[in-house]
Amino acid sequence: FVSIRQLVPSSSRTDEIKFKELHLIPATVDDGDLLLEWRNDPAARSVSRNKDTISKEEHFEWLKASLINENRQIFIAQEDKISIGVVRVDKINDIQELSWTVAPSARGRGLGKKIVSILVTSLPLPVAARVNRGNEASIKIAEYAGMKLIEEDEEFYLFRRDSMPTD
């Protein structure tokens, strides 16, 4: 059994992962309203597994359960102390499955690529991401982070990275 600290090595839920001007900070319940706003953004919903608008009550129940789940970590991405996105890590067997959203105000600047790449280099491998077939931005993010398409169905592509590149 893997503890939450083992999901991101040398880190605890209170540590930051830093890279240049970007920081990945563990989410708290205080981030709930912002996460709900991003989650219910029409563009985000259109490429999500669940396309329904989520109620505040339902969201906060999910967030509170997620924050105590030993197999899940949620990080808020910040650029110059401004929240610009979120990335979630779910440990499923020996795979770290990633999910992410870039804030509407931060889209189109390549930040999703940086956010996910930072996290991928901090996690034990393998990592994977299930991406909606119509989500071109997330397909590019997964590929940029070194994940390769390994499986597809009618709705999703499954990307996976098993090792770090050797230079």
Side-chain angles (χ1 to χ4, degrees), residues 15-73:
D15 291 339
E16 294 180 19
I17 299 171
K18 299 178 184 180
F19 181 79
K20 296 185 182 176
E21 74 280 0
L22 295 179
H23 300 258
L24 299 180
I25 300 167
T28 69
V29 73
D30 293 336
D31 298 307
D33 287 327
L34 183 60
L35 293 174
L36 178 61
E37 178 184 327
W38 292 345
R39 195 275 168 227
N40 279 339
D41 171 70
R45 280 197 350 262
S46 73
V47 292
S48 295
R49 290 183 198 181
N50 178 354
K51 297 181 183 347
D52 298 332
T53 300
I54 303 296
S55 72
K56 186 171 185 171
E57 180 180 288
E58 184 181 2
H59 173 70
F60 273 88
E61 280 181 33
W62 172 87
L63 180 59
K64 288 174 186 175
S66 292
L67 293 174
I68 61 172
N69 182 339
E70 291 184 350
N71 291 308
R72 173 171 286 169
Q73 289 180 291

Side-chain angles (χ1 to χ4, degrees), residues 54-141:
I54 303 296
S55 72
K56 186 171 185 171
E57 180 180 288
E58 184 181 2
H59 173 70
F60 273 88
E61 280 181 33
W62 172 87
L63 180 59
K64 288 174 186 175
S66 292
L67 293 174
I68 61 172
N69 182 339
E70 291 184 350
N71 291 308
R72 173 171 286 169
Q73 289 180 291
I74 303 171
F75 293 96
I76 303 296
Q78 292 187 337
E79 179 183 52
D80 298 326
K81 299 187 180 184
I82 297 170
S83 297
I84 58 163
V86 61
V87 63
R88 186 180 77 224
V89 181
D90 288 308
K91 184 176 184 312
I92 302 169
N93 299 317
D94 291 330
I95 298 172
Q96 316 300 318
E97 186 170 311
L98 309 182
S99 178
W100 56 83
T101 299
V102 176
S105 62
R107 292 181 187 145
R109 297 179 17 211
L111 295 171
K113 291 178 179 179
K114 292 178 184 176
I115 293 165
V116 174
S117 292
I118 291 166
L119 193 58
V120 165
T121 60
S122 302
L123 290 170
L125 297 174
V127 297
R130 191 167 303 279
V131 178
N132 184 300
R133 290 178 74 98
N135 190 343
E136 293 300 321
S138 285
I139 291 167
K140 290 176 184 175
I141 290 168

